Amino acid sequence: MKLRTKIALSNVLMFLMPMLAILVVAVIVSLIFSSALGRTVDNLLGNNQSATAMRSQIHYYAVQCSEMENGEEEFERLVDQALQEENYRYELRKNGAYCYSNLDILDVGFISEYRFYMDREDSFTVTGQQEALIKHAETIGDSTYELIAVNQNYLENAVYYSQEDVNAIDSDQVALISVIVVLSIIIVALTAVIITHTLSSSILRPLQKLKVASRKIKDGNFNFHLHSDGSDELADLCNDFDEMRRRLQESVELQLAYEQEEKNLVAGMAHDLRTPITSIKGYIEGLRDGVANTPEKQKRYLDTLAVKTEDLNRLVDSLFLFSKLDTGKYPFHFETVEIRQYMKEYVASRVYDCTQQGMALHYLDDLKSPVYLRLSISEMERVFNNIISNSIKYKPHETGNMTITLSAVEKNAVLCFADDGTGVPEESIDKLFQRFYRADPSRNNPSEGSGLGLSIAKQIVEAHGGTIVAGNNHGLSITITLPIRDQDQPSANASLS
């Protein structure tokens, strides 16, 4: 439930619940007080012989008898008893038919004086100089009673309300109203407290969670989970806050990993640069100190210096290239290439050179139709050459074999470079593309590679929107996946660089 809905509902409940509760309490209290109040009215009517009191008493009997099974008989009995006790003679009709009459001729004469009112009014009370006349109608069940009663000695027998009798009724009414008012105030107060507490708890609880969570984040602690099962805005806020915490944690962990990687990069650069520089320094000192005292030695020293200098130059170039790729500033030149023709030409161009180094290249094309890729030719060839060079360097025997397979999976072209070497330990598979990583510690010779080749290859392939992974399959296999262009025709003709 949304917070706005909660507040609106609480406002409605704070109005409706007290009203309903007050209504229930008023009914209950009224039922309790009605018996006492009824008894007071009974006593008052029983002690008062006025015509108005008599009509009120007859009406009161009608109300009581209407709820009884034998209500009509009881009503007739009570009316007869009350009227005779107060010296009234009367005529009673039921549904228009005579039920009882003991009126005399004087009574009829008195009634005739008020014939005008008798024909126009259902109920009224009049008094003469001495007499009293009552006309009254009541309905009990399905029966309608019409009463005409005359008291010839009205003034002699009349007893009027006393102030005490009036106060008796007034005090009961005041007590009833007071009880209802007090209980109403209590109900309203309790309802307000309960609803306010419930609403404030639903708001303050998540706010307290957010307060604690923000303090933890301020202290650098991200190892907690903030979750709310509600469905209002505060629950959404808690869940969004937890998502922010998770992303901050990932960002901090990534930053720490990046800083560690930068330290490793600097250490690797220092190590790989130190080795050729140390060799160059040693050969220069040998030439300067006259150790190479013959033309043959001098030539050997100078050739070695040239090789070491070239190794150093390659390492610097690799670092420069890696730096540009890592910062996203390397200028790729993409063009559309028909990959089947391109790979056929590429493998043909490398067969002789690889054979001279003891590596036989084999090419398998599993595609059935032309497939076009968007490639930066020179950079992708750098990737292929690095993979082949690594297999040549680390082949376990004098000769080896490498099979290059071209296939397609869904909307991707797949190039697999698989050699028949010893592969790499399984724990090293996921680390092959890290900077300066070498699976065999004995290969930490910069002349055998900078340790950046596969890392550079990974960045180049990813810049093409592809992936590169390694695995062991009777040797080391490296698989490159590149997206196929939707366009069927190349935008430019590709050639080997």
Side-chain angles (χ1 to χ4, degrees):
M1 186 184 296
K2 297 300 183 182
L3 189 58
R4 180 179 298 177
T5 306
K6 279 186 177 180
I7 295 175
L9 182 60
S10 66
N11 291 333
V12 173
L13 290 177
M14 288 185 69
F15 173 77
L16 288 181
M17 289 182 63
M19 293 300 101
L20 292 175
I22 290 171
L23 180 61
V24 172
V25 170
V27 171
I28 295 174
V29 173
S30 298
L31 291 176
I32 295 174
F33 273 76
S34 63
S35 60
L37 185 60
R39 288 192 297 271
T40 302
V41 173
D42 284 342
N43 294 334
L44 180 61
L45 293 178
N47 294 327
N48 196 301
Q49 300 170 352
S50 70
T52 303
M54 181 58 68
R55 277 190 59 196
S56 299
Q57 188 171 1
I58 293 172
H59 175 69
Y60 177 71
Y61 289 154
V63 172
Q64 285 186 325
C65 293
S66 63
E67 300 177 357
M68 301 179 182
E69 292 183 2
N70 58 339
E72 296 180 4
E73 293 81 359
E74 184 66 17
F75 175 72
E76 294 174 8
R77 185 186 69 81
L78 291 172
V79 169
D80 180 73
Q81 179 180 346
L83 291 174
Q84 289 191 24
E85 287 179 356
E86 301 300 327
N87 296 320
Y88 278 87
R89 286 183 295 277
Y90 68 94
E91 174 184 288
L92 183 64
R93 295 185 184 187
K94 177 179 179 182
N95 296 326
Y98 281 100
C99 183
Y100 176 81
S101 176
N102 62 354
L103 296 176
D104 59 22
I105 190 170
L106 295 178
D107 298 327
V108 174
F110 178 69
I111 294 172
S112 64
E113 294 178 11
Y114 298 95
R115 179 60 59 187
F116 176 76
Y117 296 103
M118 298 289 289
D119 295 337
R120 296 175 61 88
E121 303 293 336
D122 291 334
S123 298
F124 64 89
T125 302
V126 295
T127 58
Q129 296 179 352
Q130 186 176 0
E131 304 88 353
L133 171 62
I134 298 174
K135 182 181 180 184
H136 190 73
E138 290 286 351
T139 299
I140 302 175
D142 297 330
S143 300
T144 300
Y145 286 93
E146 295 177 1
L147 171 70
I148 299 176
V150 178
N151 188 343
Q152 296 290 346
N153 299 308
Y154 174 72
L155 294 179
E156 295 179 4
N157 298 325
V159 178
Y160 298 96
Y161 291 112
S162 67
Q163 189 62 39
E164 293 180 356
D165 292 331
V166 174
N167 290 339
I169 296 178
D170 290 343
S171 62
D172 286 339
Q173 291 175 338
V174 170
L176 173 62
I177 294 173
S178 300
V179 170
I180 293 177
V181 169
V182 171
L183 290 178
S184 299
I185 294 173
I186 295 173
I187 290 171
V188 171
L190 288 177
T191 303
V193 170
I194 293 172
I195 294 178
T196 302
H197 175 73
T198 303
L199 181 62
S200 61
S201 297
S202 65
I203 295 175
L204 294 177
R205 191 178 300 109
L207 289 179
Q208 183 64 25
K209 290 182 179 179
L210 286 171
K211 180 180 178 181
V212 174
S214 61
R215 287 181 177 176
K216 289 182 178 180
I217 290 180
K218 183 182 70 173
D219 297 336
N221 178 16
F222 299 95
N223 296 319
F224 64 90
H225 178 65
L226 179 64
H227 178 70
S228 179
D229 296 326
S231 57
D232 56 14
E233 291 85 351
L234 289 175
D236 294 339
L237 178 61
C238 288
N239 295 332
D240 291 342
F241 190 93
D242 190 68
E243 178 65 17
M244 180 190 71
R245 173 204 62 81
R246 186 185 64 79
R247 293 188 181 184
L248 281 174
Q249 184 178 23
E250 292 176 354
S251 177
V252 170
E253 292 175 351
L254 184 63
Q255 180 65 27
L256 293 175
Y258 183 78
E259 291 176 359
Q260 184 60 42
E261 192 173 356
E262 289 297 315
K263 292 179 182 179
N264 295 337
L265 176 61
V266 172
M269 289 171 57
H271 177 270
D272 282 9
L273 288 172
R274 185 183 296 113
T275 302
I277 290 174
T278 300
S279 297
I280 291 171
K281 181 180 179 182
Y283 281 103
I284 290 175
E285 290 179 352
L287 289 172
R288 187 177 60 188
D289 295 340
V291 175
N293 51 13
T294 64
E296 292 80 8
K297 286 185 178 181
Q298 290 176 358
K299 183 178 182 306
R300 188 168 69 250
Y301 270 49
L302 291 174
D303 291 342
T304 304
L305 282 172
V307 172
K308 297 297 182 182
T309 302
E310 184 62 27
D311 290 341
L312 184 61
N313 187 59
R314 278 199 310 273
L315 180 58
V316 172
D317 287 344
S318 295
L319 289 171
F320 183 69
L321 174 61
F322 180 84
S323 175
K324 281 193 170 183
L325 290 170
D326 199 38
T327 57
K329 296 181 179 180
Y330 189 83
F332 287 94
H333 302 285
F334 291 100
E335 55 186 298
T336 301
V337 177
E338 202 288 296
I339 192 61
R340 300 179 71 195
Q341 183 64 29
Y342 170 74
M343 289 303 299
K344 182 179 179 181
E345 294 178 6
Y346 171 77
V347 174
S349 70
R350 291 301 313 267
V351 168
Y352 178 77
D353 181 53
C354 290
T355 301
Q356 293 298 110
Q357 299 180 70
M359 178 66 71
L361 284 184
H362 308 279
Y363 177 60
L364 297 176
D365 181 2
D366 291 338
L367 297 178
K368 305 301 180 184
S369 60
V371 171
Y372 297 93
L373 306 181
R374 186 169 176 268
L375 300 179
S376 180
I377 299 297
S378 59
E379 281 69 35
M380 193 56 67
E381 285 186 11
R382 183 190 295 272
V383 174
F384 298 161
N385 292 337
N386 179 265
I387 295 172
I388 294 173
S389 298
N390 285 341
S391 292
I392 292 173
K393 290 175 186 178
Y394 303 135
K395 64 182 185 297
H397 308 292
E398 291 296 324
T399 61
N401 294 277
M402 170 170 279
T403 301
I404 302 175
T405 305
L406 174 62
S407 60
V409 176
E410 296 180 351
K411 294 185 178 182
N412 296 292
V414 180
L415 283 165
C416 182
F417 296 76
D419 62 31
D420 59 353
T422 57
V424 296
E426 288 296 328
E427 63 272 12
S428 300
I429 290 292
D430 296 334
K431 302 177 182 178
L432 284 181
F433 301 99
Q434 293 181 3
R435 306 167 183 178
F436 296 105
Y437 181 78
R438 298 180 177 91
D440 186 352
S442 65
R443 297 175 180 170
N444 285 334
N445 185 352
S447 63
E448 303 245 348
S450 64
L452 290 172
L454 288 178
S455 180
I456 292 174
K458 183 175 184 291
Q459 288 182 299
I460 291 174
V461 171
E462 290 179 348
H464 283 71
T467 60
I468 181 170
V469 295
N472 287 318
N473 184 17
H474 305 293
L476 179 64
S477 66
I478 294 181
T479 302
I480 299 173
T481 302
L482 297 168
I484 297 174
R485 281 181 62 92
D486 294 333
Q487 179 179 334
D488 292 334
Q489 297 298 327
S491 61
N493 293 326
S495 59
L496 292 175
S497 59

